[in-house]
């Protein structure tokens, strides 16, 4: 018995792809030329973009606020969270940082734009990337003018460092205030117990030396 031809089997007639390409050669060539010309026109019309990068090193905060006597800590310690680097990226791209950088370069006057529009423009041309295996962050700026790209990258880096230093200073001051308050509470606690001890000593006639005199109380 003779077998029947099954579509898709080896015995099915194959399509001559080269014949199809030959028949559609004009359409294919025209499409390629149109795409190439469109890309060339767009490339020639678009202004050139320059890229400048500034690198900053991020150190974890060494200031935490904790009362004396809790887990044996004195109010200072390393503050490092799982999303620490991501938080630093947000700090760099924050409107406050970009605003400070724009004011440093007087960009509203140079670009004849409102400060809010300048910040929006900066957010579109600024990118932050970590260096793998390090605590360095690259601040990259793309701009049509190479000089401004460099100035903006440096200004954003300086603004970020200044904001972070101010925050560290505020945290240090808050930690010192917390320590002073805790020391005051501890001093009041000691003084209260000292008074109670004095009453007991006087009541029962217990000899007591306070360390400041050689004679008993």
């Amino acid at each position: 018995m003779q077998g029947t031809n099954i579509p898709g089997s080896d015995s099915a007639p194959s399509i001559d792809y080269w014949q199809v390409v030959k028949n559609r050669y004009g359409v294919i060539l025209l499409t390629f030329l149109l795409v190439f010309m469109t890309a060339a026109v767009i490339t020639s019309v678009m202004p050139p973009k320059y890229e400048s990068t500034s690198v900053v090193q991020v150190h974890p905060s060494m200031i935490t606020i904790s009362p004396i006597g809790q887990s044996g800590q004195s109010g200072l310690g390393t503050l490092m969270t799982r999303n620490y680097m991501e938080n630093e990226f947000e700090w760099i791209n924050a409107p406050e940082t970009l605003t400070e950088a724009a004011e440093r370069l007087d960009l509203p006057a140079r670009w004849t734009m409102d400060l809010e529009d300048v910040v929006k423009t900066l957010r579109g041309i600024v990118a932050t990337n970590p260096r793998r295996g390090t605590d360095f962050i690259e601040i990259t700026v793309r701009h049509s003018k190479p000089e401004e790209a460099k100035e903006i990258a440096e200004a954003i880096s300086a603004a970020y460092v200044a904001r972070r230093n101010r925050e560290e200073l505020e945290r240090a001051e808050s930690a010192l205030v917390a320590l002073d308050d805790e020391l005051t509470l501890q001093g009041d606690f000691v003084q209260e117990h000292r008074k109670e001890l004095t009453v007991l000593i006087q009541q029962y006639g217990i000899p007591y030396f306070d360390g400041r005199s050689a004679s008993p109380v």
Side-chain angles (χ1 to χ4, degrees):
M1 174 182 277
Q2 295 182 352
T4 58
N5 290 333
I6 301 175
S9 63
D10 294 338
S11 60
S14 60
I15 301 176
D16 191 349
Y17 293 103
W18 286 110
Q19 186 64 34
V20 175
V21 172
K22 183 178 180 180
N23 295 336
R24 301 290 188 272
Y25 176 76
V27 176
I28 296 174
L29 180 61
L30 179 60
T31 303
F32 174 78
L33 291 177
L34 288 176
V35 173
F36 178 79
M37 292 177 62
T38 302
V41 170
I42 294 176
T43 303
S44 62
V45 171
M46 291 179 59
K49 293 291 184 179
Y50 299 92
E51 186 175 282
S52 181
T53 301
S54 178
V55 180
V56 294
Q57 185 177 11
V58 180
H59 299 283
S61 175
M62 296 300 294
I63 301 171
T64 57
I65 302 174
S66 59
I68 297 176
Q70 288 190 2
S71 302
Q73 296 184 4
S74 61
L76 296 179
T78 302
L79 181 61
M80 189 72 173
T81 62
R82 181 177 300 177
N83 298 324
Y84 185 80
M85 294 301 290
E86 286 77 4
N87 294 339
E88 297 304 310
F89 297 155
E90 293 298 326
W91 262 77
I92 295 174
N93 291 293
E96 294 81 3
T97 304
L98 300 180
T99 297
E100 184 171 337
E103 291 175 346
R104 286 172 178 261
L105 299 177
D106 196 19
L107 292 182
R110 291 168 62 174
W111 293 355
T112 62
M113 298 170 59
D114 294 334
L115 182 59
E116 183 178 355
D117 295 333
V118 171
V119 172
K120 291 180 180 179
T121 302
L122 290 177
R123 297 202 69 172
I125 64 176
V126 176
T128 53
N129 297 288
R131 285 188 176 179
R132 178 181 292 273
T134 69
D135 53 1
F136 292 95
I137 296 179
E138 295 181 351
I139 303 174
T140 303
V141 177
R142 292 183 178 179
H143 197 270
S144 58
K145 298 180 179 179
E147 297 82 5
E148 288 197 0
K150 179 181 178 181
E151 292 176 354
I152 293 172
E154 293 176 349
I156 293 176
S157 175
Y160 162 70
V161 172
R163 282 195 65 207
R164 201 166 186 277
N165 288 339
R166 288 196 299 268
E167 186 206 21
E168 290 295 309
L169 180 59
E170 292 176 359
R171 290 181 60 83
E173 293 175 349
S174 298
L176 290 176
V177 171
L179 288 174
D180 289 340
D181 293 341
E182 187 66 23
L183 288 174
T184 301
L185 291 175
Q186 293 292 332
D188 294 341
F189 179 78
V190 171
Q191 187 65 25
E192 182 179 352
H193 282 270
R194 185 186 295 274
K195 292 179 180 180
E196 295 177 356
L197 179 61
T198 303
V199 172
L200 293 175
I201 290 174
Q202 294 176 351
Q203 182 177 357
Y204 295 100
I206 302 174
Y208 172 72
F209 296 89
D210 61 0
R212 292 174 293 182
S213 61
S215 59
V217 177

